[in-house]
Amino acid sequence: MGNGLTVALLNGAAADADPGALRALAQVNYGHNTALQVRGVAAQGLGLHMARLRQGTAELFDAALDEAAVRGWMAQAARQAGGDCSMRVTVFARGFDHRRPLQELAVDVLVVAAAPQPPRTGALRVLARDFLRPVPHLKHVGTFPLFHHRRQAQQAGYDDALFVDGRGADARIAEGALWNIGFWDGQAVTWPQAPALRGTAERLLQAGLEAQDVAQDRRPVHMGELPAFRAAFACNANAVQPIIAIDAVEYAQAPDLMQLLADAGTHAPWEALD
């Protein structure tokens, strides 16, 4: 059980001991991260999270990630936070200079462990927005447009934003502001394919559904197809939530689908951080 404390470690040491590095992260806004729920100093899909960090470090900094050290720091932060926590691991380089972006640098790793988040269960009404995140295959720190579109959706009376690549019936559905989306036709789950960050929760659900012999389809889904589905859902590291409306298209609650997804979510084992 978590103790409610927020723990921040920079390369394994207390982050507040090196405020200059944190200022560099805030000011330069160049780096990448992964977010996960930790229970008992263990996490689901740990290999996916480490692969994400490894890929981002190689692509943004031409550097190798010391995975053993990172996992040790993650475990250290989790234990200091009481064993259960919501964790974010951010890789950046305090010496990064936008004028010389190819210079060789040592990377820094910030691990933040905060109070564990209870799963969100509320149904969502989402507004389609013509936007695709830049460099979508990386979970990078450039989150301004994500939060801006979410804010605009809430100003319009919705809960969140759904990103699509255009306007009208032919626009392809990509992802939500901080989540992936799936659809249900009563027989199979369809995962829309467009430029998007493929989340760890999405991949774990796919594996869990496959283990249950649930049919799945991965293909482009266009806005004009929305009425053909019976239900929709959002998923990320914190929750799997029903979507009951996309723009003017409304969906009924689908408790059988949500139970199916909940069962799929238990398929992946919890792996010790160290």
Side-chain angles (χ1 to χ4, degrees):
M1 180 178 295
N3 55 25
L5 297 176
T6 296
V7 177
L9 300 178
L10 178 62
N11 303 328
D16 58 7
D18 193 348
L22 300 185
R23 284 197 299 272
L25 173 60
Q27 294 172 350
V28 175
N29 199 36
Y30 188 80
H32 64 96
N33 62 75
T34 196
L36 57 156
Q37 291 295 314
V38 176
R39 300 294 182 267
V41 198
Q44 290 180 299
L46 184 58
L48 296 175
H49 289 288
M50 297 310 298
R52 169 184 282 172
L53 293 175
R54 184 169 59 247
Q55 176 189 8
T57 303
E59 187 162 339
L60 295 185
F61 300 106
D62 293 322
L65 184 71
D66 187 341
E67 297 183 44
V70 173
R71 287 182 60 163
W73 298 333
M74 292 166 67
Q76 177 185 348
R79 290 193 175 95
Q80 291 182 20
D84 296 355
C85 62
S86 295
M87 179 174 288
R88 183 176 297 273
V89 181
T90 302
V91 179
F92 67 105
R94 72 186 77 189
F96 180 81
D97 184 344
H98 67 276
R99 293 159 295 197
R100 296 187 296 143
L102 296 181
Q103 67 177 322
E104 184 175 339
L105 295 168
V107 297
D108 297 291
V109 179
L110 176 66
V111 179
V112 178
Q117 293 294 316
R120 295 187 301 272
T121 58
L124 299 174
R125 303 178 65 87
V126 302
L127 178 68
R129 303 284 298 175
D130 180 7
F131 173 76
L132 296 177
R133 74 167 73 203
V135 199
H137 64 287
L138 295 181
K139 188 175 174 65
H140 53 74
V141 298
T143 54
F144 167 80
L146 313 183
F147 301 151
H148 181 62
H149 283 289
R150 170 177 279 181
R151 186 172 188 273
Q152 290 189 313
Q154 291 185 1
Q155 286 178 327
Y158 292 81
D159 298 301
D160 212 337
L162 174 67
F163 300 148
V164 301
D165 68 345
R167 299 180 184 274
D170 292 334
R172 291 180 302 165
I173 294 168
E175 61 181 325
L178 294 172
W179 39 269
N180 293 111
I181 185 170
F183 293 96
W184 175 247
D185 62 8
Q187 300 294 326
V189 172
T190 296
W191 302 96
Q193 300 299 291
L197 177 67
R198 307 268 54 117
T200 56
E202 177 189 70
R203 293 179 181 180
L204 292 176
L205 284 176
Q206 289 171 348
L209 291 170
E210 182 178 357
Q212 298 180 73
D213 293 323
V214 177
Q216 300 180 75
D217 193 10
R218 299 170 179 82
R219 64 171 179 83
V221 174
H222 300 87
M223 287 291 290
E225 299 179 62
L226 292 182
F229 294 104
R230 290 176 52 183
F233 62 91
C235 63
N236 63 17
N238 292 330
V240 178
Q241 295 175 266
I243 294 175
I244 57 172
I246 300 175
D247 291 357
V249 177
E250 298 194 358
Y251 296 113
Q253 293 273 12
D256 291 346
L257 169 64
M258 299 311 295
Q259 185 59 55
L260 191 68
L261 295 170
D263 293 342
T266 66
H267 174 72
W270 289 82
E271 304 172 66
L273 296 181
D274 60 357

